[in-house]
Amino acid sequence: MLLLMWSSISTRLVPRFSFISTRHLHHRPINVPFPKRSHNCGALTSADVGSRVVLAGWLLPERKVSKSLSFFPLRDSYGTTQLVVHPFPSDPPDIDGQRNVPSQSWHTFLSSPLYSFMVMYAKGQKTSAGPAGDVEVVVTDFTLLNPADRHMPFLPSDTQNMANDDLRSQYRYLDLRRPELSDNLRKRSQVAHIVHTVLSQQGVAPSILSSTVDLRHDIPSRRSRVSCSNKNDPVRGSDQAKVQEPHFFALSQSPQQPKQLLMCSGGVDRYYQLARCFRDEDGRRDRQPEFTQIDLEMAFVSWGDPNPKIDPWRIGGHEVRDVVELLIRNIWAQVEEVSLPDRFNVMTYHEAMCRVIWLGQARYKIWVEIVDITSCLPPNAITVIARSGETIVCLPVRQSGDAAFYPIAHECLTEDGLDRIVITSENMSSWLNNSPIVRESSHIEGWGSGGIGEKLQLQPGDIVWIGKQRDRPEGGSTALGRQRLRLAQLARSRGTYTPTRAPHFLWITEFPLFTRADAEKDHLAKGRWSSTHHPFTAPTWQDVQALYEGRISEVRVRVRGQHYDLVLNGVEIGGGSVRVHDAMMQEYIFSEVLQFDKHEKESFNHLLHALKCGAPPHGGIALGFDRLVATLCNASSIRDVIAFPKTSAGTDALLKSPTPVHRDILRQYGIQPGR
């Protein structure tokens, strides 16, 4: 199980140990912030003696020396460190309760991630290979982060009674906790790194070809169908060779579940790959069915800071943020010779959707601003609008300050659900009364709007679009946002507006965890809640209680997710999240919030079981590699940076695929062609 431990340095040769009895342990995964580990289990050396450290790993079976002294190996993918549990007479009474707990109770901790602060000291005999074998770590306190299931199919640490191949294959995420396999994965990574480095130095370009299978050729595949065409064949004609339904492999949209299972396994601590993905995308310039993403997943990521200081990043996943920003800074430095700031700016989803966009931040001003004018209305109008959970927003285009957009604003079509008003000398003091949206929302007519015009610096000839939106956005775009995009696209096509090429990166965080406003997911959700990101995204720790109380989306309360998007000059180039590591929480989201039926949940049973086996807190991100390269190349389409891209219709004009498959080939796979 996952534990949290801490201590202060003691003046004694062996530091004091203050243990917490089992009645203080919450046998549920912890879903609140916890400290960041300082070392991995293979990093400590004799030079660290006397240090205060934080470790994370899976607690292995106890080796009891006496009634008052026990040793516990703590393992992660980097190695093993020996923990010393040695209480002193001055310890609190609770220690007696812990000392009398049967040793079998500790097996609950077996193969479970542990999070701990510890004090260490040197000793004379090595307990494991590597530098960490020269030291022991004295535990001073702990907190359970995630308990392992008491009925695990097998114990990865039990090498004397190893499970058979079939069982270990079925529960591969447990088998990967064996040192032999995690060492193999580390060596595989080392070899891959050497291959990438050497071939790159020799001018060999990696990752430029697509991976779609050409269906004109035979496809090696698993077939469960047995041919019975020859009835005289004693094998094929027997009762044991009955025709079964054909089974199929599907091209994965992304490696989301495999990478989470890899983190649950503990076989590796951090993972990345340039992953090939296949998705049923439309034919926009920045999308195509095949694409490549920089896929990153990390174990033991944080769940936020309970006492945030200046940093506006209020969610977990700091470790992912650090790595991604380092990666992006290096790319721009080496490819563009541009130095990026040490920290990228952060904005919450609510700020991005509701407040005066980019106001006072000229270097981020991409287009004209959307302004919330609700507070400028009469008090009784504000009360009526607030009661409905909405706000009144407008998009002004001025002759004086928006020269790039004003010439084409008169011919730009208006989005449904918006009012368009042209300011004249006659309506300068009453133009807001001309908006049906404002009149219907506030139930007030006949009041002056000159004060709002002055604040917006409006003059005769200016154009204002007016709309309303939820004061707590629930996902998807807004009518005014789409209007601004339409305006910018028209201005760019006419040559009056050119987006900046200077890189401005921005993180968007704290998205609503669930939504009913995503039209692309409606066909699957069928009126139910759907996940804004995906169903494995964890809520913010402040909103866990609201999640369990069913307060998913009230007027003033919305469950936020630990989801983050990275935006470059207004274009999303990546997104990720802290994942749910609590099996009970994941089950609750599936059943009570998303209301999955039995069939829908069955496809996630393997993930739920992996979470029950002591999964560490984990999180990750996927960066659009093609989109990133297109930005660096100033290409108008990602197809310009892919060797053999698909057309907007998803076809390959060069290789002429996809193509029809001959009926004889389909018949071999048990597929009956339709008419």
Side-chain angles (χ1 to χ4, degrees), residues 8 14 220 239 250 265 282 316 325 345 497 568 588 592 618 675:
S8 58
V14 181
D239 292 337
S265 75
D282 55 28
E325 291 186 358
N345 284 276
Y497 167 64
L568 170 58
Y588 179 86
E592 303 301 324
H618 57 286
R675 295 182 178 180

Side-chain angles (χ1 to χ4, degrees), residues 283-303:
R284 283 178 277 181
R285 293 179 302 172
D286 61 347
R287 295 187 181 184
Q288 71 156 29
E290 286 180 280
F291 59 94
T292 304
Q293 66 185 31
I294 304 172
D295 209 49
L296 173 68
E297 197 79 7
M298 302 168 65
F300 297 104
V301 301
S302 64
W303 260 59

Side-chain angles (χ1 to χ4, degrees), residues 368-674:
V368 290
E369 297 166 357
I370 296 175
V371 184
D372 184 346
I373 59 174
T374 308
S375 61
C376 300
L377 301 177
N380 48 353
I382 295 175
T383 301
V384 172
I385 294 172
R387 193 179 299 124
S388 67
E390 295 177 328
T391 59
I392 302 298
V393 290
C394 72
L395 178 70
V397 180
R398 311 170 187 84
Q399 301 178 69
S400 58
D402 303 310
F405 304 99
Y406 182 77
I408 51 88
H410 290 274
E411 54 185 288
C412 186
L413 298 176
T414 298
E415 283 280 329
D416 293 338
L418 298 180
D419 293 336
R420 177 179 179 275
I421 298 175
V422 178
I423 306 299
T424 65
S425 55
E426 289 78 18
N427 67 10
M428 274 292 293
S429 60
S430 60
W431 59 272
L432 206 53
N433 285 311
N434 296 335
S435 166
I437 289 177
V438 174
R439 292 199 303 268
E440 293 170 5
S441 299
S442 63
H443 306 297
I444 296 176
E445 298 185 23
W447 46 272
S449 52
I452 300 178
E454 292 178 5
K455 291 181 179 180
L456 295 176
Q457 300 178 350
L458 297 178
Q459 299 294 330
D462 293 344
I463 298 175
V464 182
W465 279 277
I466 300 174
K468 61 181 179 180
Q469 62 188 39
R470 303 291 299 177
D471 63 350
R472 304 283 297 181
E474 57 182 8
S477 61
T478 64
L480 268 186
R482 293 191 296 273
Q483 184 67 45
R484 184 168 60 174
L485 284 173
R486 176 178 288 182
L487 190 65
Q489 290 165 357
L490 183 58
R492 188 174 183 180
S493 67
R494 299 293 174 83
T496 61
Y497 167 64
T498 302
T500 178
R501 283 212 63 201
H504 298 300
F505 288 91
L506 176 70
W507 289 103
I508 304 295
T509 64
E510 300 181 37
F511 289 75
L513 191 56
F514 307 106
T515 182
R516 285 193 176 110
D518 192 335
E520 295 182 0
K521 298 178 181 179
D522 278 348
H523 70 288
L524 294 175
K526 300 176 181 177
R528 302 171 295 181
W529 287 106
S530 60
S531 298
T532 305
H533 186 42
H534 57 53
F536 319 118
T537 301
T540 60
W541 66 272
Q542 300 94 330
D543 294 345
V544 169
Q545 183 176 353
L547 171 69
Y548 284 123
E549 292 175 352
R551 296 184 289 123
I552 305 299
S553 178
E554 298 178 1
V555 173
R556 293 296 174 186
V557 177
R558 185 176 303 279
V559 175
R560 298 160 297 169
Q562 297 192 63
H563 171 194
Y564 33 81
D565 277 0
L566 183 59
V567 177
L568 170 58
N569 293 349
V571 177
E572 177 197 347
I573 62 170
S577 66
V578 175
R579 323 300 188 190
V580 175
H581 67 279
D582 179 344
M584 292 181 65
M585 177 182 288
Q586 188 67 81
E587 172 69 27
Y588 179 86
I589 290 173
F590 286 162
S591 301
E592 303 301 324
V593 181
L594 302 178
Q595 298 179 348
F596 285 175
D597 58 31
K598 181 180 179 181
H599 176 72
E600 290 171 318
K601 285 194 294 185
E602 280 179 352
S603 59
F604 301 114
N605 283 344
H606 54 284
L607 178 61
L608 287 171
H609 187 268
L611 297 180
K612 293 176 182 178
C613 295
H618 57 286
I621 193 171
L623 300 171
F625 184 72
D626 307 305
R627 201 174 295 182
L628 199 63
V629 175
T631 300
L632 289 165
C633 297
N634 197 29
S636 60
S637 169
I638 64 171
R639 297 183 183 90
D640 294 336
V641 299
I642 300 174
F644 300 108
K646 299 296 183 286
T647 66
S648 59
T651 61
D652 189 324
L654 175 64
L655 300 178
K656 298 180 174 58
S657 65
T659 59
V661 179
H662 196 277
R663 288 174 177 264
D664 291 342
I665 296 178
L666 292 177
R667 197 171 291 113
Q668 293 176 20
Y669 291 93
I671 301 174
Q672 179 64 40

Side-chain angles (χ1 to χ4, degrees), residues 347 351-352 355-370 484 506 508 567 569-570:
M347 179 181 289
E351 289 177 298
R355 75 170 202 170
V356 179
I357 305 300
W358 317 120
L359 186 61
Q361 302 181 42
R363 63 188 179 129
Y364 284 109
K365 184 175 179 180
I366 300 175
W367 308 316
V368 290
E369 297 166 357
I370 296 175
R484 184 168 60 174
L506 176 70
I508 304 295
V567 177
N569 293 349

Side-chain angles (χ1 to χ4, degrees), residues 80-255:
T80 302
T81 298
Q82 180 160 283
L83 310 183
V84 179
V85 176
H86 192 149
F88 285 86
S90 58
D91 288 316
D94 283 341
I95 192 65
D96 292 331
Q98 181 61 50
R99 186 183 296 120
N100 294 326
V101 173
S103 60
Q104 182 64 29
S105 299
W106 283 104
H107 291 174
T108 307
F109 299 164
L110 195 61
S111 297
S112 303
L114 179 91
Y115 211 105
S116 56
F117 281 93
M118 303 175 189
V119 179
M120 53 177 293
Y121 65 93
K123 54 184 180 56
Q125 185 177 0
K126 292 178 71 72
T127 58
S128 63
D134 293 329
V135 299
E136 286 176 343
V137 177
V138 178
V139 180
T140 59
D141 221 330
F142 66 89
T143 296
L144 171 66
L145 291 186
N146 200 359
D149 194 298
R150 291 178 179 270
H151 306 290
M152 292 169 63
F154 62 90
L155 302 179
S157 61
D158 188 359
T159 57
Q160 301 301 317
N161 300 285
M162 190 174 295
N164 61 50
D165 288 345
D166 290 341
L167 188 62
R168 286 188 287 117
S169 296
Q170 182 179 355
Y171 299 99
R172 180 67 171 178
Y173 45 84
L174 290 180
D175 198 28
L176 286 174
R177 290 184 189 171
R178 289 193 293 126
E180 294 83 357
L181 293 186
S182 59
D183 290 345
N184 291 347
L185 294 179
R186 187 176 298 105
K187 185 169 291 187
R188 176 188 174 98
S189 175
Q190 180 184 5
V191 172
H193 176 73
I194 294 172
V195 171
H196 275 282
T197 301
V198 172
L199 293 182
S200 178
Q201 291 172 348
Q202 297 301 311
V204 181
S207 305
I208 60 173
L209 295 179
S210 61
S211 57
T212 298
V213 177
D214 183 357
L215 292 181
R216 294 175 299 170
H217 302 100
D218 291 339
I219 308 170
S221 175
R222 179 187 66 179
R223 288 184 287 170
S224 61
R225 177 180 180 271
V226 180
S227 174
C228 295
S229 57
N230 186 357
K231 295 183 179 180
N232 296 322
D233 190 315
V235 175
R236 295 191 177 189
S238 66
D239 292 337
Q240 297 177 356
K242 295 181 180 179
V243 177
Q244 302 176 11
E245 289 294 325
H247 288 64
F248 300 88
F249 287 105
L251 293 173
S252 60
Q253 294 190 21
S254 73

